[in-house]
Structures are given as structure tokens and as C-alpha cells.
Amino acid sequence: LMVPILLILTAMIINTRDISEETSCGRLYVPAQYIKHNTDKSSLFLVPPDWTYFRQCANRALVVDLVTVFTDQSVVRWHNRLLDVTKQKEFSGPHNKLQLKTQYHTSSDKDIKLLQSKYKFDYVIFEKSFLKQKHDLPIFYQDDNIIIFSVHS
């Protein structure tokens, strides 16, 4: 009698966790699940800088996001990566997430290849509603909202 009760409780906990993850990841839940099941755990992703929650949803490493950094050296690395992926020379004055996201989405295939040679990421993700360029990269995944390109070196 004790074993069936434990199995039922375990199933309920796992189901609750999945519902909670789906709620917190929102529209990225399905692509994040696809990524978890179809990429290596060591895969590195270039994502829009404001996707601070994507790292947890997909359980994969990111080139950079707008998350807080903790050491002097990591601040410099974070700053330089953010400049690179948003094609900024330097940040002057206030920049909001929308400006950074918009600039990120202007990346051409050439820009992506240059960034990939520097940061060695495997996949790049764009939000379709912000996309400014047509890309000729291999499509790994797409849905109504996002497109993921494979850019393995």
C-alpha cells in the first residue's frame, strides 16, 4: 500500500513541476523542450539579450543575456559580449531592452558568422516579429514566434 501511494505522490510532484516550468517559460516552453531533446547539453546558444529566462527553460548555455554578473572580470566580458551581439560600439546614455532586442535582430548572416567564430555557439535564435533580415542558414527549429538556425562550426 505504501509503494503505490509513493508512486502517486511522485507522479503528482513531477506533473506539478512540468506545469510550473510551462507557466514560467510561456511561449518558449515548446522550443525549450525541443532543444532539451534534440541538442547536446554542451550546446551554446545565441539568443536575444532580453531572454534572461531562456537559460533555465532550455537548460543550455548562452553567449550573453541581460542577467546580473558577479565579478569585475565577468562584468567586462559581459559588457563586451553585449556590445558584440547588439552591434554597438559603446553604450552611452540609457538603453532599454527593446533597443537592444531590435539591434540584435538586425544581424546578417555575415554578422552571425563573425560572432560564431568568436564565441563558438551552435545555434542562434530570433523572434520572427523582430527579424529584419532573411537568413540563408540551416533551420533547426521554427514555430509561429521564433526561428532557430544551426551554425555549428
Side-chain angles (χ1 to χ4, degrees), residues 70-99:
F70 301 102
T71 67
D72 291 344
Q73 287 184 343
S74 63
V75 168
V76 171
R77 283 193 304 270
W78 171 82
H79 177 262
N80 290 339
R81 286 178 179 210
L82 200 54
L83 289 175
D84 285 346
V85 304
T86 59
K87 299 191 296 183
Q88 301 287 313
K89 295 198 183 342
E90 191 55 64
F91 294 122
S92 58
H95 280 71
N96 65 35
K97 290 179 184 182
L98 181 59
Q99 288 173 309

Side-chain angles (χ1 to χ4, degrees), residues 59-142:
N59 198 27
R60 297 295 183 267
L62 306 179
V63 172
V64 67
D65 61 14
L66 294 177
V67 72
T68 306
V69 289
F70 301 102
T71 67
D72 291 344
Q73 287 184 343
S74 63
V75 168
V76 171
R77 283 193 304 270
W78 171 82
H79 177 262
N80 290 339
R81 286 178 179 210
L82 200 54
L83 289 175
D84 285 346
V85 304
T86 59
K87 299 191 296 183
Q88 301 287 313
K89 295 198 183 342
E90 191 55 64
F91 294 122
S92 58
H95 280 71
N96 65 35
K97 290 179 184 182
L98 181 59
Q99 288 173 309
L100 296 176
K101 179 190 289 229
T102 301
Q103 192 64 32
Y104 168 86
H105 283 85
T106 64
S107 296
S108 66
D109 286 354
K110 181 180 176 184
D111 295 327
I112 293 166
K113 289 176 184 173
L114 287 171
L115 287 169
Q116 199 282 333
S117 68
K118 183 172 185 177
Y119 295 113
K120 310 295 185 216
F121 53 88
D122 303 295
Y123 302 92
V124 59
I125 303 178
F126 292 103
E127 292 179 59
K128 288 181 175 180
S129 62
F130 281 87
L131 205 52
K132 305 295 182 199
Q133 309 257 349
K134 180 179 180 334
H135 293 280
D136 292 321
L137 301 167
I139 296 173
F140 171 71
Y141 172 92
Q142 69 176 319

